[in-house]
Amino acid sequence: MSNLNPSLILTGSYDSTVRLFDARTGAAEMVMGSAEKGQAPVEDVLLFPSDTLALSSSGPILRVWDLVAGGRCLRALSNHQKTITCMAFNGNASRLLTGGLDQMVKVYDVSSYRVVHTMRYSAPLLCLAMSPDDTHIAAGMSDGTLSVRRRNTSEEEAQAAAARKEVARTGDFESMLEKIGEPEYLSQRPATKPKGDPDEAKLAKEHRQKLTEYDKLLKQFKYGEALDAVLVPGTSAVTFFSLLQELVYREGLRAALSGRDDVLLEPVLQMLTKYIADTRWGPLACEVAGVLL
């Protein structure tokens, strides 16, 4: 909904179009995108505070629409590996945050649409929001987790940076504690403590995100085996249909379904019939059923 004109409502649909409605007339004043078959559904839309630009996400593509020019597409950006499910602005709309099923949050500078920061999460993201003071980011994930991350303020960052420079110059860990505050568990430490070698550098161990089995198979282009990997008991609908959507984007859906007998097709049909009436997965389920038929 528009901040300047509450009568203007921006919508995104699974018919792959973005529409700007006027609540006073009930009509769509502007239609953006294409309803042609094969286009990715629109997962999320966002209106700039000025009401001159709009954003939409379809699959892994982020699009910028010029409302003043009649809905012309200004940019189409592809920085995610999987579907973008959510978008949010920071407090003054100078930064755009996008979250996707690839478990990544990308931060864009809206003046250039360049990615200035990336954050990784433990599960695919479904919703995203940022506090008005830009200090907290809240993200909801497909495994039911709500993550809230806190960003240091400029004053805290400057204070910590100054303390780190002082330690690098003098090797004095004690002076750093005085500047940035001493943790409570260190308050009872011995009065004398040996100081480390000023030239010694400690490298933090890098922990890599472990890929799921179906992600590994997708990277190897083993589409049929990737589909089998999500047809196990306990697999969520989000995981199952996310994989199907990824197979559609890779044009590997037919390859994944071909060569299956009635026994191997049964779990696929069970999932499709279970969720075909769900508005979130219905269009994709119909598309997959059409390939099977």
Side-chain angles (χ1 to χ4, degrees):
M1 183 177 293
S2 168
N3 292 324
L4 301 179
N5 186 351
S7 298
L8 296 180
I9 302 173
L10 187 70
T11 66
S13 171
Y14 269 39
D15 66 359
S16 306
T17 62
V18 177
R19 299 173 187 263
L20 184 65
F21 286 90
D22 190 334
R24 294 166 294 189
T25 64
E29 303 296 332
M30 199 176 297
V31 180
M32 294 155 279
S34 171
E36 295 179 3
K37 186 177 180 181
Q39 297 293 322
V42 177
E43 299 289 345
D44 197 13
V45 292
L46 191 62
L47 199 60
F48 271 77
S50 62
D51 288 355
T52 57
L53 297 173
L55 300 162
S56 69
S57 63
S58 300
I61 308 298
L62 171 68
R63 289 183 172 86
V64 185
W65 306 94
D66 188 346
L67 302 182
V68 178
R72 181 169 60 93
C73 183
L74 295 179
R75 297 283 186 96
L77 310 170
S78 179
N79 292 297
H80 283 267
Q81 298 300 314
K82 295 183 180 180
T83 299
I84 301 171
T85 56
C86 48
M87 300 183 290
F89 282 125
N90 68 336
N92 60 6
S94 63
R95 294 287 188 270
L96 169 68
L97 286 75
T98 61
L101 297 180
D102 57 0
Q103 306 178 17
M104 306 294 286
V105 169
K106 305 282 185 177
V107 183
Y108 294 83
D109 181 348
V110 299
S111 63
S112 61
Y113 294 104
R114 182 174 59 88
V115 176
V116 296
H117 189 60
T118 300
M119 292 170 281
R120 178 178 289 277
Y121 283 77
S122 59
L125 290 108
L126 300 180
C127 56
L128 187 66
M130 193 167 191
S131 63
D133 60 359
D134 297 347
T135 58
H136 292 77
I137 299 175
M141 292 176 278
S142 62
D143 61 356
T145 302
L146 172 63
S147 168
V148 180
R149 296 187 179 185
R150 180 180 181 275
R151 184 177 69 87
N152 289 337
T153 62
S154 299
E155 183 178 347
E156 290 173 331
E157 291 175 349
Q159 188 180 37
R164 286 193 293 270
K165 287 182 180 178
E166 179 68 17
V167 172
R169 185 179 67 84
T170 65
D172 189 356
F173 182 69
E174 306 295 330
S175 64
M176 183 184 74
L177 291 179
E178 293 174 2
K179 286 182 169 59
I180 65 175
E182 182 180 46
E184 183 178 350
Y185 66 85
L186 290 178
S187 60
Q188 303 299 325
R189 70 187 187 286
T192 59
K193 183 178 181 181
K195 298 178 181 179
D197 186 346
D199 297 326
E200 181 182 6
K202 183 177 181 181
L203 300 178
K205 184 179 179 181
E206 182 180 357
H207 296 280
R208 292 190 175 183
Q209 180 76 20
K210 186 177 181 181
L211 292 176
T212 60
E213 185 63 26
Y214 59 84
D215 273 325
K216 293 178 182 177
L217 293 168
L218 283 175
K219 290 174 70 71
Q220 300 170 14
F221 303 101
K222 297 179 179 179
Y223 298 143
E225 295 180 33
L227 180 57
D228 291 335
V230 299
L231 292 175
V232 295
T235 300
S236 67
V238 172
T239 301
F240 176 73
F241 284 100
S242 295
L243 178 71
L244 290 181
Q245 189 72 70
E246 186 67 21
L247 290 173
V248 171
Y249 293 147
R250 291 170 175 253
E251 298 182 354
L253 182 60
R254 289 185 180 276
L257 295 173
S258 63
R260 293 176 178 266
D261 56 20
D262 53 350
V263 175
L264 294 177
L265 283 175
E266 183 179 357
V268 179
L269 293 173
Q270 286 179 345
M271 291 293 285
L272 295 179
T273 54
K274 182 177 180 180
Y275 293 101
I276 199 167
D278 193 312
T279 55
R280 296 172 299 171
W281 318 119
L284 181 56
C286 292
E287 183 178 349
V288 176
V291 173
L292 290 173
L293 296 175

